[in-house]
Amino acid sequence: MAKKKFYVVWTGRQTGIFPDWPSTEAAVSGFPGAKYKGFATEAEARAAFAQDYQQAIKNTPRPAKAAAARSAALPSSDWVIYADGACDPNPGQAGTGLALYRDGTLSELWYGLYTPQGTNNTAELNGLNQALMLAQQGVDQGRSVTVLCDSQYAINCVSQWAAGWARQGWTRKGDPIKNLALIQAGYALWQPLADKITLAHVKGHAGIEGNELADRMSVHAVDQQEQDFVRYDGPQDIATILAMRAG
C-alpha cells in the first residue's frame, strides 16, 4: 500500500490536514463526495489545503509512472477491461474495482463488493468475475474483448486449475481448495468465453493506466464500504482519480 505521511481532507466529516491514514479514514469513509489526497510532507499538504480541491489536484505533479501510463498502448480489442482488488491489511477490509475502455477511450469505472474480512485473493477473484460478466456483454454485442488482471492466481484458478478440480469433484490432494465458491462462479463465467475473449496478466503497480484506475476503484470501494458493485459517478478525470489513495 502507498504510504503517505500527511493527508488533506477538503470535504468530509472533518476537514483539514491529518498525520495518518486511520484519522483520515474516520473523516472520509462512507461520507458522500469525500475529497482528499495524501502528500509526502506536511509542507506539501499545507500548500494544497490552502487551495480548493480541484486547483490542488491540478497543481500537484503526477508521479512519473502515472505519466507513463497515460501513453501506454491499449490492446487492440474493442473493449479492454482491467480488473483489480485491494485488501488492507491482508486479511482485512477488501474491495474490487474495474476500468472499462471502449474503442481506446476510458468509458466506465466500477467499484464495490466491500467485505470487512476479505483477502487479496478474494478481492482479485471478485474483480475477475465481474470483468468476465462485463466481457460477456461485450461478446453479446459482437465486440472483441480483452480482460486484464494483475493477479496470476485469479487467472490460473479460473482459466487453468478449475477444469481439473471440476473433473475431480471440486477436490484436490492435500489442502481443501480455498475460495472455492468464487472460483466455481468464475469458472462458470469463463467456460462460454474461453474461445471468444483474451484473458491476460498485467503487471500491477507498474504505471499502466487502466490497472492503476482499477486499483483506485478497489480502494475507493474499501473507503466507501460499498457492498454492491456500482458504477463510479464522480468526475471521470484521469488525473484526479489517479491522485486518489492507491492500494
Side-chain angles (χ1 to χ4, degrees):
M1 173 171 293
K3 301 294 184 182
K4 301 290 186 180
K5 292 184 178 179
F6 297 91
Y7 292 83
V8 174
V9 177
W10 287 271
T11 304
R13 294 185 184 85
Q14 291 180 291
T15 62
I17 299 171
F18 297 81
D20 53 47
W21 173 245
S23 57
T24 308
E25 183 179 29
V28 302
S29 181
F31 189 92
K35 293 182 173 62
Y36 57 95
K37 186 181 185 303
F39 295 88
T41 68
E42 184 176 9
E44 292 174 342
R46 290 191 178 280
F49 191 54
Q51 308 170 66
D52 64 39
Y53 173 72
Q54 293 295 339
Q55 193 65 34
I57 294 299
K58 180 179 179 180
N59 291 337
T60 300
R62 295 174 65 197
K65 68 177 185 178
R70 264 200 173 284
S71 60
L74 284 167
S76 59
S77 299
D78 299 328
W79 287 21
V80 180
I81 307 166
Y82 289 88
D84 202 10
C87 189
D88 177 33
N90 184 31
Q93 297 186 80
T96 291
L98 292 184
L100 167 63
Y101 289 76
R102 286 189 174 98
D103 300 319
T105 300
L106 179 64
S107 176
E108 298 174 12
L109 296 167
W110 292 78
Y111 69 98
L113 302 182
Y114 168 79
T115 177
Q117 286 298 319
T119 67
N120 281 330
N121 286 340
T122 61
E124 296 281 7
L125 282 167
N126 272 329
L128 180 54
N129 289 359
Q130 291 295 324
L132 293 175
M133 292 181 201
L134 193 56
Q136 184 65 65
Q137 295 180 29
V139 170
D140 290 344
Q141 295 177 29
R143 303 290 185 171
S144 59
V145 181
T146 294
V147 172
L148 296 169
C149 176
D150 66 11
S151 170
Q152 193 67 63
Y153 163 81
I155 293 171
N156 287 341
C157 279
V158 169
S159 67
Q160 302 294 327
W161 303 331
W165 293 336
R167 287 193 297 270
Q168 298 169 23
W170 291 105
T171 61
R172 67 176 181 183
K173 294 180 180 179
D175 296 334
I177 301 169
K178 294 182 179 179
N179 310 315
L180 180 57
L182 286 174
I183 294 168
Q184 289 174 319
Y187 183 55
L189 292 164
W190 167 248
Q191 285 181 289
L193 293 171
D195 60 351
K196 299 177 182 177
I197 70 169
T198 299
L199 173 61
H201 180 259
V202 62
K203 186 176 180 180
H205 304 290
I208 298 169
E209 182 182 276
N211 175 257
E212 297 288 348
L213 292 171
D215 169 79
R216 302 308 188 273
M217 289 295 101
S218 63
V219 176
H220 188 60
V222 174
D223 290 344
Q224 301 300 312
Q225 299 186 3
E226 178 58 64
Q227 296 182 2
D228 294 329
F229 201 63
V230 298
R231 186 169 175 177
Y232 179 69
D233 61 0
Q236 200 158 295
D237 177 77
I238 292 173
T240 299
I241 295 166
L242 289 176
M244 294 166 63
R245 188 166 73 98

